[in-house]
Amino acid sequence: MPLRCTKPIPHPVKDLAYGNLLYLAPGIGILVLIYTKIAKVEDVVKNMTSDMVWMIAGVLVVADALGKSGAGNLIGQFILAILGENPSSIAVMLIFSAATVIMTTFLSNMATQTVLIPIAASVALAGGWDPRGIILAIGTANMLAIGFPSGSGEAAVCYAAGGYNPARVMKFTIPYTILGIISSAVAANLMFPIYG
């Protein structure tokens, strides 16, 4: 039986009074770009219908479905069973940080974060843990995937502009990524340990 936290744990979604406003932020940003004449309406309409927008919308739907259907809770219980009884706080942070970096190497950063955060929150709530540290570790580790051009749009641009071969620069990117995983897990654990 996992150790239960005695103090009330903040709910990651319900306690965020303005959390749904984040869905409006991209639209507001686009309106600001159009109003300030930085972007033309035609360009915005053309780019807003690109494949990336539909992929992000699909990921948001999947993440929402995970939470509402109870699948996120099932995944949370499964991950708890793997972690065992009373895992150390730092071990949990390391596992989620490493999983985030591995996933975001092959998926987009936005997709990885959108899928992993509901799962992490479900794991934390199922275990009676404070979810803030795990979510912080995921958000930080989400920006560390520079080992391959597929890690993020920025990484793809850097690899293309510099003419870098991913296999040749691994002697630099792998140690950096390992240090990043460890430092994000340790920092998140120092600020918000799962046992409060």
Side-chain angles (χ1 to χ4, degrees):
M1 186 76 156
L3 180 68
R4 299 283 175 187
C5 189
T6 56
K7 69 179 186 176
I9 298 171
H11 191 280
V13 177
K14 291 179 183 172
D15 286 351
L16 297 175
Y18 301 104
N20 289 333
L21 291 178
L22 290 176
Y23 292 114
L24 298 176
I28 293 169
I30 289 168
L31 290 175
V32 168
L33 290 175
I34 292 171
Y35 181 73
T36 57
K37 300 187 189 294
I38 292 172
K40 295 179 182 175
V41 175
E42 298 83 21
D43 293 337
V44 170
V45 171
K46 180 181 169 186
N47 293 325
M48 283 295 289
T49 56
S50 69
D51 293 338
M52 180 60 80
V53 172
W54 294 111
M55 188 272 302
I56 290 171
V59 167
L60 290 172
V61 170
V62 169
D64 196 41
L66 277 173
K68 288 184 178 175
S69 68
N73 193 36
L74 287 175
I75 294 169
Q77 292 291 351
F78 176 72
I79 293 172
L80 276 177
I82 292 172
L83 291 172
E85 289 187 22
N86 302 323
S88 72
S89 183
I90 191 71
V92 172
M93 302 290 184
L94 282 169
I95 288 168
F96 275 102
S97 293
T100 303
V101 170
I102 291 167
M103 282 180 67
T104 196
T105 299
F106 302 105
L107 298 171
S108 76
N109 297 68
M110 178 72 168
T112 300
Q113 188 165 330
T114 305
V115 168
L116 268 183
I117 284 179
I119 291 172
S122 296
V123 169
L125 294 174
W129 304 334
D130 185 346
R132 294 177 296 176
I134 301 172
I135 293 170
L136 178 63
I138 290 171
T140 307
N142 197 37
M143 301 299 160
L144 296 173
I146 62 163
F148 295 97
S150 58
S152 66
E154 295 83 357
V157 168
C158 290
Y159 273 90
Y164 298 120
N165 180 344
R168 296 184 75 188
V169 297
M170 274 190 191
K171 62 184 175 184
F172 303 109
T173 58
I174 289 178
Y176 166 79
T177 303
I178 291 170
L179 285 173
I181 290 169
I182 293 169
S183 62
S184 67
V186 168
N189 186 56
L190 287 173
M191 289 199 261
F192 303 109
I194 62 172
Y195 295 116

